[in-house]
Amino acid sequence: MDKSFSPVIFVDGLAFVLGVGKAFTLLIWRALPRPRPGLWQELPEAWQR
């Protein structure tokens, strides 16, 4: 292996790792169940029923 280390390879690898991490985060975030709306959003709906 060469003693000189290319910063371009380091930056490309860092960008790749961050991109894959963001993709997995978004995938997991979409798979999570959505929380119920807040009480202030439910009150007008219940009032109109």
Side-chain angles (χ1 to χ4, degrees):
M1 187 169 164
D2 196 15
K3 298 226 177 203
S4 65
F5 183 74
S6 175
V8 175
I9 295 174
F10 175 73
V11 171
D12 286 346
L14 190 62
F16 178 76
V17 168
L18 288 175
V20 170
K22 176 114 181 178
F24 275 115
T25 302
L26 288 174
L27 186 67
I28 291 170
W29 192 255
R30 287 181 185 216
L32 289 174
R34 290 280 156 242
R36 293 185 57 194
L39 182 62
W40 293 110
Q41 294 174 359
E42 286 185 7
L43 278 176
E45 294 173 4
W47 186 258
Q48 289 174 355
R49 284 186 210 153

